[in-house]
Amino acid sequence: MALGYKLILMASVVSLVSSVSSSWMPSDIPNPVAYPQECLMPHPSRVCDPNGALSTSTRKRVQSLVELIETNVTHSCNGKMVGYQVAVVVVNRMHPAFQKHYDKVDRAEEFAIKIGDTWGVGHRGCEDGIVLFVSKLDRIAFIKTAPGAREVLPDNAVSYIIREMTSTIKANRGSLNTGVEGAVALMHQVLQSTAKGEAFEIPESSMDWADMIFLGIFFFLFVGGLGLAFWPFLAVILTGVFLCLAYPIAKIMDKIDDCRGRNGNDEGDDDAEAERALQRIRSAMDSKDDKKDDAEDEVDDDEDQLCCVCLEDLNKPVNGENKAKLSVLPCGHRFHTSCIE
């Protein structure tokens, strides 16, 4: 039984030691220039990865990029041309006691500042140091730039580099290799462009599928939950909105119907009036025809009594007729029919 307790105590001690060794204070990070082997580097460098979060080949490529920046991207300081100095630090986790009252981002920034000051990143009096700090299990990355380096690596470029590195790490299922190497490569591109006076085009940020899914779930749970909890209020609001939109539409439709009704009635009245006028014309024509037929048979006493041809009395038979037969000209004059036969 005593042996069992000893084994449990020993396992607890080993676990505690392992946990402490994977958590770091800034002062515990070895300087890769003085102690490269403790940073898993074969030669003095400015890259330190004490927990081996990066592969050996990635550490070598990152160091090559750091040297390329210092060699190719130069600026004038204290009367001579010097290059920007970049340091890369990758740890498993920040020690819980380090700036425990700060939030994660502020802790990462303080960690990077401490590393830069302790290692002496940047030329003296030039303020040209840059520190890339990554804490794997804390899921945080931070780029700290000295005032002189900030002129060629502005905050918007830093945000872009961090964003691209985070996306790359997510795409590679948490592997830091491609993300860290890509971040230093992007840093080199930005520094090289801005140091030459050229503007580095930073693409606009866009959401990946994970972000869109998260926002969709958030919208469904939050907004949908509010809708279920407060549906009576939402129903009243939606009803009011519907009525506000429907009332003017109904008024417009009423106006249209009124216009159509008036136009239809006017057309009916016009048709009826035209029919009545036609009937009046037909009646007048029939009456005129009747009068014309009557005039052929007999002469009205009020009209002229002389034949327009022989100038004799129209009622007097002529040419041996027993009874006077009369005809009417289109102009209305009457004459004996036998006078023109």
Side-chain angles (χ1 to χ4, degrees):
M1 184 67 67
L3 179 60
Y5 282 122
K6 288 181 180 178
L7 290 176
I8 292 174
L9 179 60
M10 184 176 296
S12 299
V13 171
V14 171
S15 176
L16 178 62
V17 171
S18 175
S19 175
V20 172
S21 64
S22 62
S23 300
W24 298 86
M25 298 288 285
S27 57
D28 297 333
I29 303 294
N31 190 328
V33 175
Y35 307 100
Q37 285 76 20
E38 295 183 19
C39 292
L40 304 183
M41 296 298 292
H43 307 289
S45 67
R46 289 197 175 85
V47 178
C48 190
D49 177 26
N51 295 118
L54 305 176
S55 65
T56 301
S57 59
T58 299
R59 286 192 293 269
K60 290 181 179 180
R61 288 193 296 271
V62 170
Q63 175 58 26
S64 298
L65 288 169
V66 169
E67 294 174 355
L68 186 64
I69 291 173
E70 187 170 2
T71 303
N72 293 349
V73 187
T74 60
H75 64 104
S76 177
C77 179
N78 297 328
K80 59 181 181 180
M81 299 300 293
V82 295
Y84 293 94
Q85 291 187 356
V86 178
V88 179
V89 185
V90 181
V91 299
N92 206 34
R93 176 188 284 118
M94 292 181 286
H95 198 284
F98 175 71
Q99 303 291 0
K100 60 182 180 180
H101 300 298
Y102 286 14
D103 62 24
K104 188 164 59 174
V105 176
D106 291 338
R107 292 177 67 204
E109 181 178 9
E110 286 296 318
F111 206 106
I113 291 173
K114 294 290 186 183
I115 290 294
D117 293 341
T118 303
W119 291 6
V121 182
H123 298 88
R124 186 181 298 274
C126 297
E127 301 287 348
D128 56 0
I130 302 170
V131 176
L132 169 59
F133 171 69
V134 180
S135 180
K136 181 178 181 179
L137 298 183
D138 290 316
R139 299 180 181 275
I140 188 70
F142 198 92
I143 297 177
K144 184 62 179 177
T145 55
R150 196 172 299 124
E151 296 177 359
V152 291
L153 191 64
D155 292 341
N156 63 335
V158 168
S159 299
Y160 168 64
I161 294 171
I162 293 293
R163 187 169 64 246
E164 289 297 308
M165 179 174 63
T166 304
S167 299
T168 304
I169 292 173
K170 285 182 180 179
N172 288 275
R173 300 181 179 181
S175 176
L176 301 182
N177 290 307
T178 308
V180 173
E181 182 181 353
V184 181
L186 271 177
M187 197 182 301
H188 174 251
Q189 293 179 19
V190 175
L191 290 171
Q192 195 170 33
S193 297
T194 53
K196 294 179 179 180
E198 301 173 357
F200 183 81
E201 296 293 334
I202 298 176
E204 296 181 358
S205 60
S206 59
M207 294 189 298
D208 55 17
W209 283 105
D211 295 332
M212 288 189 286
I213 293 173
F214 172 77
L215 289 177
I217 294 174
F218 173 80
F219 181 83
F220 176 77
L221 293 178
F222 182 74
V223 179
L226 287 179
L228 292 175
F230 301 101
W231 68 266
F233 302 100
L234 292 177
V236 172
I237 294 173
L238 292 176
T239 302
V241 172
F242 173 77
L243 291 176
C244 291
L245 294 176
Y247 180 75
I249 294 175
K251 296 292 288 183
I252 293 172
M253 295 303 296
D254 288 340
K255 293 293 185 182
I256 293 173
D257 289 338
D258 291 342
C259 292
R260 287 178 177 174
R262 286 196 298 271
N263 291 335
N265 293 334
D266 292 343
E267 291 175 359
D269 294 341
D270 292 341
D271 292 340
E273 182 64 27
E275 183 66 26
R276 287 194 293 269
L278 182 59
Q279 290 295 335
R280 289 195 298 270
I281 294 171
R282 288 174 179 173
S283 298
M285 292 177 66
D286 291 341
S287 176
K288 185 176 180 180
D289 291 339
D290 292 341
K291 289 181 180 179
K292 183 177 179 181
D293 293 338
D294 293 340
E296 291 178 352
D297 296 331
E298 60 182 359
V299 178
D300 193 354
D301 294 338
D302 296 334
E303 295 179 349
D304 190 7
Q305 300 300 316
L306 297 178
C307 174
C308 63
V309 177
C310 67
L311 300 179
E312 295 292 338
D313 188 355
L314 289 173
N315 294 320
K316 180 181 179 181
V318 294
N319 299 325
E321 295 176 347
N322 295 325
K323 183 180 179 181
K325 293 183 180 180
L326 304 177
S327 297
V328 182
L329 293 172
C331 60
H333 292 92
R334 285 170 294 281
F335 59 92
H336 294 113
T337 304
S338 61
C339 289
I340 60 173
E341 288 181 353

